[in-house]
Amino acid sequence: MKIVTGGAGFIGSNIVRGLNARGHADIIVVDRVPADELRNLADCRIANYMESRDFLRALAADLIPRNIEAIFHQGACADTTQTDERLMMETNFEFSRRLLDFAIRRAVPMVYASSASVYGAARESAETIANENPLNLYARSKLAFDNHVRSILPMAASTIVGIRYFNVYGPREAHKGRMASMAYQLYRQLKSSGVARLFAGTDGFGDGEQRRDFVFVGDVVSANLFFAERPVRKGIFNFGTGHSRGFNDVARALIALLGHGRIEYIPFPAALSGKYQSFTQADLRALRASGYAVDFTTLEEGIAKALTEWERESQS
């Protein structure tokens, strides 16, 4: 049996589908979402769905089944504009800490979602304290748990892996609204108005040339399943393609595939000054040293795959 927290969300539901594709349906999905977000599970096979609070009570009472084989912890408050520190730490730190305690006590592999946001404006992204400078509360909460994991790893007998996702995009993210990937937001803009709106130049980058390491969600699923398998692995690893691409590249790929549209540049919002990552690029040396040797989906390939699914989702 597998546990997927945040299993009705973007990455979580894709992991559930990835497990289903491997023949696994004995899955407990843990989440706390509005009813419309459960659409992500409509074509998935699971054994049980638990509200997050019920799951925490089951953890405390030691009522979780004994046959748990792996935990994929994707649940989080991912709102980068959230200012409620108590809410953020309860959701992203305390829940995660209690789940980690359970995983260590039962010696169950746990793969959890960290975030490249911990690097802030740093241009280097090797997984070291020197490069970590979070710019918002969400990123600080993720780094707080990473640091807790670092203190626990020597005592863990089973796999404990944090994956620092870079800029993930792909199917099943429509419910995320303004927190959806830039790729999906540009797709929605082009579909509704024919115009992709990008920020004018900032932080030394030209109009629409802010750069991110865009990674297709199918690759993220592959990494989660890889780390949950034997042998035992412990650590925190970056996960992106290792190449940054400009927002213009994303918009142009979508326009070419849709066959219409144009780009418009808008002023950079003053509210984001000092809180915005204009450049991300994953340093993959530690990931490759862990044994993960799978090739990444290129941006053009990933956008094409995602667009097919986004079009299908918009019709359902």
Side-chain angles (χ1 to χ4, degrees), residues 202-261:
T202 187
D203 293 334
F205 294 89
D207 293 350
E209 285 302 314
Q210 297 89 350
R211 303 181 69 84
R212 297 283 178 88
D213 192 334
F214 297 98
V215 59
F216 183 61
V217 70
D219 295 343
V220 171
V221 172
S222 171
N224 273 268
L225 299 183
F226 168 81
F227 280 117
E229 297 172 343
R230 292 186 180 276
V232 170
R233 299 179 180 89
K234 296 189 286 185
I236 296 169
F237 304 99
N238 291 331
F239 198 80
T241 65
H243 301 283
S244 67
R245 298 290 297 271
F247 290 163
N248 283 322
D249 293 335
V250 179
R252 289 167 184 153
L254 285 165
I255 290 169
L257 289 165
L258 290 169
H260 65 84

Side-chain angles (χ1 to χ4, degrees), residues 131-181:
N131 294 329
E132 295 162 356
N133 185 29
L135 298 177
N136 54 50
L137 180 56
Y138 166 73
R140 291 197 294 273
S141 72
K142 285 295 189 178
L143 181 57
F145 185 65
D146 280 353
N147 285 333
H148 176 67
V149 168
R150 284 165 165 159
S151 72
I152 293 294
L153 283 183
M155 295 176 277
S158 58
T159 288
I160 304 294
V161 166
I163 306 180
R164 285 182 172 170
Y165 300 146
F166 277 65
N167 301 93
V168 187
Y169 67 94
R172 301 174 192 266
E173 62 171 310
H175 67 280
K176 295 187 68 175
R178 60 190 176 85
M179 290 296 116
S181 72

